[in-house]
Amino acid sequence: MTGKHTLMLIKPNAVKNGYAHEIFLMVHNNGFKILAQKKLQLSEREAQAFYRVHAGKPFFQGLVEFMTSGPIYAAVLEKENAVTEWRTLMGATDPAKAAEGTVRKKYAESVQHNAVHGSDSDENALNEIFFFFSAREIVNAGGDIYQLHDILKNEQ
Ligand code: UDP
Ligand code: MG
């Protein structure tokens, strides 16, 4: 994975607990540019759509309830190898298995309430970025968007 962009979410538990600022700071201090960010609350339909790859799994309904339970932050992160770099800094899905110094080790409470989301491939990163941000918002953020070019072309 060599793309320069990924999508981060700060999940409701971390926002509620007041950790959003510290998480953004960790991201910044690890060399990511926060290209764009917004605070919002997901509707049930939005959460179901965003996590559709997990539809039918035993944890799906609980995940949707959790993700709609309060405000979240969505952010576009920019760095070389952004997907892999952010997943490394984020840590394992299960905080009990997350390495020292990772965001989930510090801020996750459980497998479900694990503080943050990160895209898992360049392709999914683009889809997830465009789930939350319009082409206009990305362009106006003024970052290096050449990797989004194909999607922008498709919107013309
Ligand atoms: N999740 C859960 N129970 C599980 C596995 C996952 O509640 O047994 C939740 C958890 O919040 C996780 C999200 O579903 O972050 C998406 O799961 P995935 O396997 O994609 O993990 P991630 O990519 O977030 O590390
Ligand atoms: Mg995932």
Side-chain angles (χ1 to χ4, degrees):
M1 272 167 260
T2 56
K4 290 182 72 170
H5 300 95
T6 192
L7 181 87
M8 168 179 81
L9 299 180
I10 303 181
K11 296 185 178 182
N13 66 315
V15 175
K16 233 170 247 164
N17 291 333
Y19 297 143
H21 181 74
E22 288 172 46
I23 292 171
F24 275 121
L25 208 56
M26 252 177 112
V27 167
H28 171 80
N29 288 339
N30 279 273
F32 292 87
K33 180 174 180 187
I34 299 159
L35 188 57
Q37 58 98 6
K38 60 174 69 170
K39 191 178 189 184
L40 66 137
Q41 186 157 353
L42 286 171
S43 71
E44 188 176 356
R45 290 170 78 101
E46 287 170 339
Q48 286 169 342
F50 183 76
Y51 279 115
R52 65 195 174 283
V53 295
H54 297 300
K57 293 184 186 168
F59 62 84
F60 182 66
Q61 189 50 35
L63 177 62
V64 169
E65 280 167 26
F66 165 55
M67 288 303 294
T68 57
S69 66
I72 63 169
Y73 282 92
V76 181
L77 306 186
E78 184 177 290
K79 188 181 184 178
E80 295 295 334
N81 301 312
V83 165
T84 307
E85 288 285 304
W86 169 232
R87 287 200 72 90
T88 301
L89 179 61
M90 179 167 78
T93 309
D94 179 353
K97 296 179 187 146
E100 284 300 332
T102 61
V103 175
R104 281 170 165 170
K105 180 75 180 181
K106 272 183 111 163
Y107 300 115
E109 296 163 323
S110 65
V111 173
Q112 183 181 83
H113 293 63
N114 59 2
V116 283
H117 167 85
S119 310
D120 64 5
S121 69
D122 288 340
E123 191 189 351
N124 287 340
L126 289 181
N127 287 328
E128 291 182 0
I129 287 166
F130 280 94
F131 188 89
F132 286 99
F133 296 88
S134 70
R136 279 179 58 238
E137 288 172 301
I138 304 284
V139 169
N140 288 329
D144 176 0
I145 56 153
Y146 75 91
Q147 293 215 311
L148 307 179
H149 190 66
D150 285 348
I151 288 185
L152 292 173
K153 251 192 334 205
N154 289 337
E155 292 199 346
Q156 279 170 6

